[in-house]
Amino acid sequence: MSPLIMMSNILGFMLIIVAALKPCYGLYLGRRHLYIRNDLENHLPLKIHCWSKDNDLGLMTLNFTQETSWSFKDNNIWGTKFECDMEFQLEGQTKRGQVVVYNNKKKIRTRECRKRCKWSVRKYGLYAFDEKDKKWDFEIPW
């Protein structure tokens, strides 16, 4: 095989690897930290169960202003996705939702989160913290 063909094959292979590694938010190789905080008014408790295909974080109850957090490294080949079931009582009715709180292969937030991905659970849905503007944005309704 000629050196030119071999170099062409190597470059083609490298382009395929780079394309597979690049998540929609851009390549980030550090640890990410995900936070979910109970900001439900009237001091309502929040039941929450989060998982990925590799990790089950278990069922927990967060009281008003409590948060849960975990850290992880993205799997840039197969993808990293965390989902959560959430439930609380509001005015005599049970509110439930299953939400994707992190997915490095699909955009789920208006603005990307890099190192810290923060969510606030409120009466009308989930708010995401915008690291650039330092403010909470309404993202996911119940």
PDB file of all heavy atoms in Angstrom, residues 50 65 79 103 112 116 128:
ATOM      1  N   CYS A  50     -33.461   9.037  39.817  1.00  0.00           N
ATOM      2  CA  CYS A  50     -32.674   9.326  38.610  1.00  0.00           C
ATOM      3  C   CYS A  50     -31.812   8.123  38.241  1.00  0.00           C
ATOM      4  O   CYS A  50     -31.402   7.343  39.102  1.00  0.00           O
ATOM      5  CB  CYS A  50     -31.779  10.538  38.845  1.00  0.00           C
ATOM      6  SG  CYS A  50     -32.689  12.055  39.226  1.00  0.00           S
ATOM      7  N   THR A  65     -35.665  23.209  49.438  1.00  0.00           N
ATOM      8  CA  THR A  65     -34.295  23.737  49.280  1.00  0.00           C
ATOM      9  C   THR A  65     -33.205  22.664  49.342  1.00  0.00           C
ATOM     10  O   THR A  65     -32.039  22.995  49.175  1.00  0.00           O
ATOM     11  CB  THR A  65     -33.952  24.872  50.272  1.00  0.00           C
ATOM     12  OG1 THR A  65     -33.827  24.353  51.578  1.00  0.00           O
ATOM     13  CG2 THR A  65     -34.958  26.004  50.208  1.00  0.00           C
ATOM     14  N   GLY A  79     -22.714   7.888  24.214  1.00  0.00           N
ATOM     15  CA  GLY A  79     -23.612   8.897  24.769  1.00  0.00           C
ATOM     16  C   GLY A  79     -23.831   8.721  26.263  1.00  0.00           C
ATOM     17  O   GLY A  79     -23.697   7.622  26.800  1.00  0.00           O
ATOM     18  N   ASN A 103     -28.203  14.966  28.484  1.00  0.00           N
ATOM     19  CA  ASN A 103     -27.994  14.123  27.315  1.00  0.00           C
ATOM     20  C   ASN A 103     -26.919  14.782  26.461  1.00  0.00           C
ATOM     21  O   ASN A 103     -27.143  15.857  25.909  1.00  0.00           O
ATOM     22  CB  ASN A 103     -29.291  13.967  26.517  1.00  0.00           C
ATOM     23  CG  ASN A 103     -29.171  12.942  25.408  1.00  0.00           C
ATOM     24  OD1 ASN A 103     -28.071  12.587  24.990  1.00  0.00           O
ATOM     25  ND2 ASN A 103     -30.298  12.473  24.921  1.00  0.00           N
ATOM     26  N   GLU A 112     -26.250  25.588  26.778  1.00  0.00           N
ATOM     27  CA  GLU A 112     -25.478  24.428  27.204  1.00  0.00           C
ATOM     28  C   GLU A 112     -24.984  24.600  28.640  1.00  0.00           C
ATOM     29  O   GLU A 112     -24.845  25.708  29.132  1.00  0.00           O
ATOM     30  CB  GLU A 112     -24.293  24.201  26.282  1.00  0.00           C
ATOM     31  CG  GLU A 112     -23.182  25.216  26.438  1.00  0.00           C
ATOM     32  CD  GLU A 112     -21.981  24.883  25.582  1.00  0.00           C
ATOM     33  OE1 GLU A 112     -21.962  25.312  24.424  1.00  0.00           O
ATOM     34  OE2 GLU A 112     -21.075  24.215  26.085  1.00  0.00           O
ATOM     35  N   ARG A 116     -20.990  22.449  35.290  1.00  0.00           N
ATOM     36  CA  ARG A 116     -22.076  22.320  36.270  1.00  0.00           C
ATOM     37  C   ARG A 116     -23.424  22.472  35.586  1.00  0.00           C
ATOM     38  O   ARG A 116     -23.697  23.498  34.976  1.00  0.00           O
ATOM     39  CB  ARG A 116     -21.927  23.381  37.353  1.00  0.00           C
ATOM     40  CG  ARG A 116     -20.740  23.147  38.239  1.00  0.00           C
ATOM     41  CD  ARG A 116     -20.598  24.236  39.307  1.00  0.00           C
ATOM     42  NE  ARG A 116     -19.380  24.054  40.054  1.00  0.00           N
ATOM     43  CZ  ARG A 116     -18.186  24.470  39.659  1.00  0.00           C
ATOM     44  NH1 ARG A 116     -18.060  25.126  38.531  1.00  0.00           N
ATOM     45  NH2 ARG A 116     -17.116  24.254  40.395  1.00  0.00           N
ATOM     46  N   ALA A 128     -33.521  25.699  34.342  1.00  0.00           N
ATOM     47  CA  ALA A 128     -32.100  25.389  34.192  1.00  0.00           C
ATOM     48  C   ALA A 128     -31.287  26.649  34.452  1.00  0.00           C
ATOM     49  O   ALA A 128     -31.665  27.739  34.021  1.00  0.00           O
ATOM     50  CB  ALA A 128     -31.823  24.878  32.779  1.00  0.00           C
TER      51      ALA A 128
END
